[in-house]
């Protein structure tokens, strides 16, 4: 028994030894494992192994997990700043010497937190304006044709270029454009949005072009600021173009005709016939019916609009008032949103410190100056809000800071131009774009608004930001024109006193520009003179529009007294529309009453004090309007004089083909069916006639070597020795009164 | 962000360009945060996310594109930080009687009908083993391919496929135990 047991144990032992010796080597085991794993993997049906739904659910649920915005921004700031610190370790060592490392780090964390807090907690991220063209409202059946699709039009529908908007019977539509203009479509109207353009590098540069295929459309342009920007409506063979501000009405008529009416400001018309292209300008209160003429006769028939007859015009003017208020409110809301914290708020200094630190720790000069200009521009909105609240002093301080900071950036840009012209041009464009955006937002602000100071500050900054002396002068010219447009709006709102002040401001701005231009070298003069001429043409149109709007209160005169030669004034019944009568600016031959006197004869008979009060008020209003009329007339004359001076100045050297072409073009400018200005150039003299006034400008006695006159030399030689001018001693003019 | 753009920003960052690093940050902040949220929980996700980017910046010059793409590399950093985090937690954790036994909790919830939502998913993932959790997050939450995951986790692709299968099966079982009835609907 014992022997058997021992044998069994021995067998087990031997078996075990044998089994132990039979084993896979490590390498073989590894290889086998690999093969097994690969085989198993191949046999697995799909990555989700039958759990597709679960996998999908996990994916979807996880999408909602996101870092908090505050955390994301703060961490980013921290990382970037730490990286910058590492790159300039010596600065941090300097910082460390002053504070302990822990304090320095804590301070940094606080600033990062503050920076992110103010960025998100107070909505410092600027709200961008809506740059879409949309249907604002619909009545009845309105549809949009887009390619081959016909879509029902509804409020909020975003329109694209090439869309055609159609209204059915008893239906209307209102379209708001990307440039903040608005159009209203009458029933049975079809209009194609041929072009809807906004320059991505300069969002204030916009072009809207519509084609009125049938029906009637009202267009209100409220705040175009760029020289390139325009809003046009084409109907039949006519194109009506508005720049800056205007309200006009276009109708497609039968037999290939079209009608355009200028209701506010002015509209330029371009009419193409099969023989020629005719250009004209309609000022407010005038309409033109255009036919596709095949004869040499003018295709344009212009006439005065009968006031108060057209319900469509009345309704649209009322709706325009509401629309403009809406836009003003949007601008106000945007300003308040952008302004964020105001001076006086306990957190304001913290925000300022945080932003300043952010800028200071931006070690790249270019980035730093970019941040500086954006920080400076925030002050415009803040100043605006302060002015709304009546805090003028604080607002003015901010505006001064804004201008100084803009100047600092521009000065740095000037120094960068030599080293890196591309970067300098890029940042300069950014500065200009920023200022243009603010300029557009403030276009609706008039001199009687508290925010006008902000508008002036932005305008002055645009001059500061201009690159060359010529560009600075162009900016000043543009702003002078703005004053005139503001004056026109003040006239329309009934504020004649402010309008007159604004016209005077325009005149003095123009005088300043004229003095600057005199200091230019010949190349610079050559560059500026065509801009000057365009500016003068536009100014004359606006002044004429103002005169036309104001002249209804001019007193009727007796037959013996020479009358005003304002030939466009409808109330003057016996205007002597003659070139033989030339009133000088200070001439008593103006039919306008002298300033300070009343224009109405004393016809008050009632003893009633209320009636007397009303009468007195009427007289004051009439006096104000007379003063305005006088100021407008003076401005018209001065505009002509400055124009003449500018042209003669350039022609001292060599006659410029471009200048002469411009002069010839001037003569073709049609204003309400009559030439805007008649130009006659002789050796050393230029004579300009506009609105019945003739201005003769004589140059220096130095003979001009090669002038090519555009017209025949004057037959009559005028008195050569100029009278010393009364008002402005700088002006070497000699207004001549022809017998 | 395209791979070529990532490579471009990585190269610039390696030259010290903070803006380029900012762009990389923008591209990866969400996926890294999501990874951390599901791996360590919402309370610690932010801290660890921050550490990931700090470490990334510190070591960015060591990154070589030949060794794999940048996303795998940054997630490798994230993975290692999570491992370190757990290690530190294990060392420091004080066991008290207050710590709930989640397995008991899961069983208790077994008969209560639950819908699969974020909170439930999170709990379920934390029920699962850490390597199961990791592969589920990298695969189905961060959307990495097996090749990329193999670089992150340092495992072969074949092993990962098996791990993935087991992870899904485990998660499904956990969810069913938690009373989630719409797992496969």
């Amino acid at each position: 028994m014992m022997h058997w047991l021992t044998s069994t144990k021995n067998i087990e032992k031997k078996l075990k030894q044998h089994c132990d010796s039979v084993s896979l080597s490590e390498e073989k085991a590894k290889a086998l494992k690999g093969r097994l794993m690969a085989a198993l993997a191949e046999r697995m049906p799909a990555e989700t192994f039958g759990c597709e739904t679960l996998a999908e659910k996990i994916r979807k649920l996880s999408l909602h997990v996101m870092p908090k915005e505050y955390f994301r921004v703060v961490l980013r700031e921290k990382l970037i700043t730490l990286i910058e610190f590492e790159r300039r370790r010596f600065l941090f060592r300097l910082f460390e010497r002053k504070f302990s490392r822990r304090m320095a780090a804590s301070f940094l964390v606080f600033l990062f937190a503050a920076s992110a807090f103010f960025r998100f907690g107070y909505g410092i991220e600027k709200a961008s304006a809506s740059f879409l063209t949309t249907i604002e409202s619909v009545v009845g059946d309105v549809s949009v044709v887009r390619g081959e699709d016909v879509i029902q039009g509804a409020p909020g529908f975003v329109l694209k270029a090439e869309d055609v908007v159609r209204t059915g019977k008893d239906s209307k539509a209102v379209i708001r454009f990307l440039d903040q203009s608005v159009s209203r479509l009458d029933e049975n109207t079809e209009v194609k949005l041929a072009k809807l353009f906004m320059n991505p590098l300069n969002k204030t540069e916009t072009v809207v072009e519509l084609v009125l295929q049938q029906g009637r459309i009202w267009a209100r342009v409220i705040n175009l600021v760029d020289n390139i920007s325009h809003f046009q409506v084409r109907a039949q063979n006519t194109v009506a173009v508005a720049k800056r501000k205007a309200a006009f009405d276009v109708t497609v008529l039968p037999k290939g005709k079209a009608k355009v009416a200028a209701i506010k400001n002015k509209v330029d018309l371009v009419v193409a016939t099969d023989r020629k292209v005719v250009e004209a300008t309609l000022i407010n209160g005038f309409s033109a019916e255009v036919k596709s003429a095949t004869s040499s006769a003018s295709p344009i028939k212009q006439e005065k609009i009968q006031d108060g007859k057209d319900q469509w015009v009345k309704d649209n003017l009322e709706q325009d008032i509401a629309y403009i208020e809406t836009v003003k409110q949007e601008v106000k809301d945007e300003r308040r949103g952008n302004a964020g914290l105001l001076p006086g708020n306990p957190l304001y200094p913290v925000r300022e410190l945080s932003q300043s630190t952010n800028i200071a720790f931006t070690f790249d000069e270019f980035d730093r100056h970019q941040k500086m200009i954006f920080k400076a521009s925030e002050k415009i909105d803040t100043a605006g809000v302060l002015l709304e609240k009546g805090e003028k002093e604080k607002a003015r301080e901010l505006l001064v800071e804004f201008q100084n900071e803009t100047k600092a950036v521009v000065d740095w840009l000037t120094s960068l131009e030599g080293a890196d012209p591309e970067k300098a041009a890029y940042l300069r464009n950014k500065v200009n774009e920023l200022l243009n955006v603010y300029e557009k937002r403030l276009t609706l602000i008039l001199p009687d608004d508290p925010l006008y100071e902000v508008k002036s500050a932005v305008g002055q900054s645009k001059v500061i930001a201009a690159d060359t002396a010529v560009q600075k002068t162009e900016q000043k010219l543009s702003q002078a024109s703005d004053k005139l447009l503001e004056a026109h709006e003040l006239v329309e709102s009934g504020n004649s006193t402010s309008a007159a002040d604004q016209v005077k401001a325009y005149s003095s701005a123009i005088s300043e520009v004229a003095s600057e231009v005199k200091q230019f070298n010949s190349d610079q003069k050559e560059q500026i003179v065509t801009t000057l001429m365009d500016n003068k043409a536009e100014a004359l149109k606006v002044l004429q529009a103002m005169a036309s709007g104001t002249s209804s209160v001019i007193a009727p005169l007796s037959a013996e007294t020479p009358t005003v030669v304002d030939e466009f004034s409808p109330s003057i019944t016996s205007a002597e529309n003659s070139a033989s009568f030339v009133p000088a600016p200070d001439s008593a031959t103006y039919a306008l009453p002298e300033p300070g006197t009343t224009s109405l004869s004393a016809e008050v008979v009632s003893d009633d004090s209320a009636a007397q009060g009303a009468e007195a008020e009427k007289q004051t209003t009439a006096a104000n309007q007379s003063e305005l009329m006088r100021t407008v007339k003076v401005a018209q004359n001065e505009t002509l004089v400055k124009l003449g001076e500018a042209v003669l100045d350039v022609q001292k050297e060599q006659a410029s083909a471009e200048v002469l072409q411009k002069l010839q073009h001037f003569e073709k400018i049609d204003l309400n069916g009559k030439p805007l200005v008649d130009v006659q150039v002789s050796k050393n003299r230029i004579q300009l006639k506009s609105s019945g006034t003739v201005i003769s400008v004589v140059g220096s006695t130095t003979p001009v070597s090669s002038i090519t006159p555009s017209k025949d030399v004057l037959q009559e030689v005028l008195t050569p020795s100029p009278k010393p001018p009364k008002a402005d001693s700088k002006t070497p003019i000699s207004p001549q009164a022809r017998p | 962000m395209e791979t070529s753009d990532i490579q471009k920003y990585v190269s610039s960052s390696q030259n010290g360009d903070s803006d380029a690093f900012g762009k990389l940050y923008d591209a990866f902040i969400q996926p890294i945060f999501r990874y951390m949220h599901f791996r360590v929980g919402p309370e610690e996700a932010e801290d660890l996310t921050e550490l990931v980017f700090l470490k990334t910046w510190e070591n960015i010059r060591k990154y070589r594109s030949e060794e794999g793409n940048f996303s795998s590399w940054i997630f490798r950093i994230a993975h290692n930080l999570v491992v370190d985090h757990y290690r530190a937690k294990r060392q420091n954790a004080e066991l008290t009687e207050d710590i709930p036994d989640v397995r008991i909790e899961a069983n208790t919830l077994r008969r209560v009908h639950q819908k699969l939502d974020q909170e439930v998913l999170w709990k379920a993932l934390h029920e699962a083993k850490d390597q199961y959790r990791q592969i589920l997050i990298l695969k189905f939450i961060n959307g990495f391919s097996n090749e990329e995951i193999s670089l992150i986790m340092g495992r072969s692709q074949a092993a990962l496929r098996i791990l993935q299968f087991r992870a899904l099966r485990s998660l499904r079982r956990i969810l069913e135990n938690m009373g989630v009835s719409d797992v496969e609907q």
Side-chain angles (χ1 to χ4, degrees), chain A residues 175-430:
Chain A
I175 303 174
R176 176 168 171 164
F177 293 93
L178 49 80
D179 61 357
Q180 296 187 313
S181 304
V182 70
S183 272
R184 295 187 197 93
L185 279 61
D186 203 0
E187 61 172 348
N188 298 321
T189 296
E190 192 172 296
V191 66
K192 181 178 179 181
L193 280 52
K195 198 168 187 176
L196 299 171
F197 169 76
M198 174 179 282
N199 184 345
L201 297 177
N202 177 8
K203 292 186 174 56
T204 58
E205 190 179 301
T206 56
V207 173
V208 174
E209 294 180 4
L210 312 180
V211 179
L212 183 63
Q213 288 160 346
Q214 73 176 52
R216 189 175 190 181
I217 189 170
W218 174 273
R220 185 63 186 255
V221 179
I222 62 169
N223 61 358
L224 301 183
V225 295
D226 201 81
N227 285 337
I228 294 170
S229 303
H230 62 270
F231 184 106
Q232 82 179 36
V233 178
R234 179 154 62 90
Q236 310 285 33
N237 61 334
T238 306
V239 177
V241 185
K243 297 181 179 184
R244 308 310 275 270
K245 301 179 187 185
F248 62 101
D249 178 38
V250 185
T251 313
V252 167
L253 300 172
K255 297 179 188 174
K257 293 183 188 174
K259 187 172 175 184
V260 179
I263 311 298
K264 295 273 184 195
N265 293 91
K266 59 176 183 64
V267 174
D268 295 325
L269 293 183
V270 179
V271 180
T273 68
D274 51 3
R275 285 173 183 248
K276 57 186 175 183
V277 171
V278 176
E279 291 181 31
T281 298
L282 285 178
I283 58 171
N284 47 273
F286 283 81
S287 69
E289 192 174 291
V290 183
K291 54 187 178 181
S292 49
T294 51
S295 69
S296 56
S298 170
I300 306 176
K301 181 183 149 194
Q302 301 188 39
E303 60 188 16
K304 182 97 175 68
I305 297 171
Q306 298 293 314
D307 283 340
K309 294 257 170 159
D310 195 334
Q311 191 60 38
W312 162 259
V313 171
K314 267 188 180 169
D315 291 342
N316 277 295
L317 283 172
E318 267 177 35
Q319 289 175 65
D320 283 349
I321 294 171
Y323 175 69
I324 289 170
E325 286 308 310
T326 304
V327 172
K328 281 182 176 174
Q329 189 60 43
E330 286 170 3
V331 170
K332 208 174 183 178
D333 292 342
E334 199 171 353
R335 180 167 47 244
R336 285 179 183 170
N338 291 344
L341 293 173
L342 299 177
N345 187 300
L347 290 175
Y348 181 79
V350 181
R351 184 189 89 161
E352 286 299 289
L353 178 60
S354 142
Q355 287 181 342
S356 301
T357 311
N358 189 310
I359 291 171
F361 287 153
T362 305
F363 296 107
D364 181 84
E365 286 286 322
F366 182 83
D367 288 343
R368 190 155 61 87
H369 282 88
Q370 198 165 216
K371 284 183 183 176
M372 275 168 69
I373 197 66
F374 281 111
K375 181 175 177 297
S377 69
E378 283 175 3
K379 292 181 175 163
I380 301 174
D381 286 320
T382 311
V385 174
L386 287 170
L387 283 168
E388 281 171 12
K389 290 176 154 210
E391 294 182 53
K392 287 187 183 174
E393 285 312 310
K394 283 183 190 157
R396 282 171 191 157
E397 275 173 30
L398 279 180
L399 289 174
V400 167
E401 281 175 29
F402 156 69
Q403 286 181 294
N404 291 341
E405 286 165 18
T406 304
K407 189 170 182 320
V409 171
V410 170
D411 288 344
W412 179 80
L413 274 178
T414 309
S415 66
L416 179 67
E417 255 146 21
D420 196 335
E422 265 186 42
K423 258 186 170 171
Y426 170 82
L427 189 53
R428 196 179 284 279
N429 182 60
K430 278 279 167 219

Side-chain angles (χ1 to χ4, degrees), chain A residues 47-49 51 53 57-59 61-67 72 75-76 78 80 83-84 87, chain B residues 16 18 21-22 25-26 30 33-34 37 50 57 118 139-141 161 164-165 168 171 182 184-185:
Chain A
E47 289 203 339
T48 49
F49 308 107
C51 299
T53 311
K57 281 185 178 169
I58 293 170
R59 220 174 270 132
L61 285 171
S62 68
L63 289 174
H64 298 291
V65 173
M66 296 222 272
R72 188 183 66 79
L75 178 57
R76 196 184 199 280
K78 208 178 192 178
I80 300 299
I83 290 167
E84 289 293 329
R87 282 171 57 189
Chain B
S18 59
F21 189 77
Y25 170 88
D26 292 336
Q30 270 190 27
F33 178 84
R34 227 168 253 162
H37 174 92
E50 185 176 335
W57 171 253
Q118 255 189 52
K139 186 76 195 172
F140 300 114
I141 292 176
R161 286 178 73 90
Q164 196 182 310
F165 165 69
L168 274 170
L171 182 68
D182 59 345
E184 283 304 317
Q185 287 171 10

Side-chain angles (χ1 to χ4, degrees), chain A residues 608-678:
Chain A
D608 184 8
S609 59
Q612 282 180 353
E615 200 56 45
E617 196 182 311
K618 232 179 170 177
Q619 289 174 12
T620 310
T621 308
N624 290 339
Q625 288 177 323
S626 300
E627 169 65 12
L628 170 63
M629 191 62 191
R630 196 190 68 82
T631 315
V632 165
K633 217 45 176 183
V634 167
Q636 278 176 321
N637 294 343
E638 284 184 5
T639 303
L640 289 172
V641 162
K642 297 287 182 286
L643 172 61
E645 282 177 10
V647 171
L648 272 186
D649 223 8
V650 169
Q651 287 192 312
K652 268 181 199 165
E653 317 289 321
Q654 176 87 24
S656 155
E658 199 185 346
V659 168
L660 289 173
Q661 208 174 27
K662 214 40 150 187
L663 270 176
Q664 285 170 357
H665 177 72
F666 248 64
E667 290 160 351
K668 292 179 188 163
I669 297 175
D670 173 299
L671 187 68
N672 291 351
K674 295 182 168 84
L676 172 68
V677 63
D678 187 27

Side-chain angles (χ1 to χ4, degrees), chain A residues 435-470:
Chain A
L435 292 172
N436 287 342
V437 165
Y438 278 105
E439 187 187 12
K440 187 174 171 84
R441 278 191 211 155
L442 294 163
T443 309
L444 297 171
I445 303 294
L446 292 178
D448 53 5
D449 190 306
L451 263 72
Y452 194 71
E453 289 190 50
V454 180
K455 191 176 179 181
S456 301
V458 170
Q460 285 159 21
S461 298
K462 285 195 73 176
V463 175
I464 293 169
D467 202 0
T468 62
V470 169

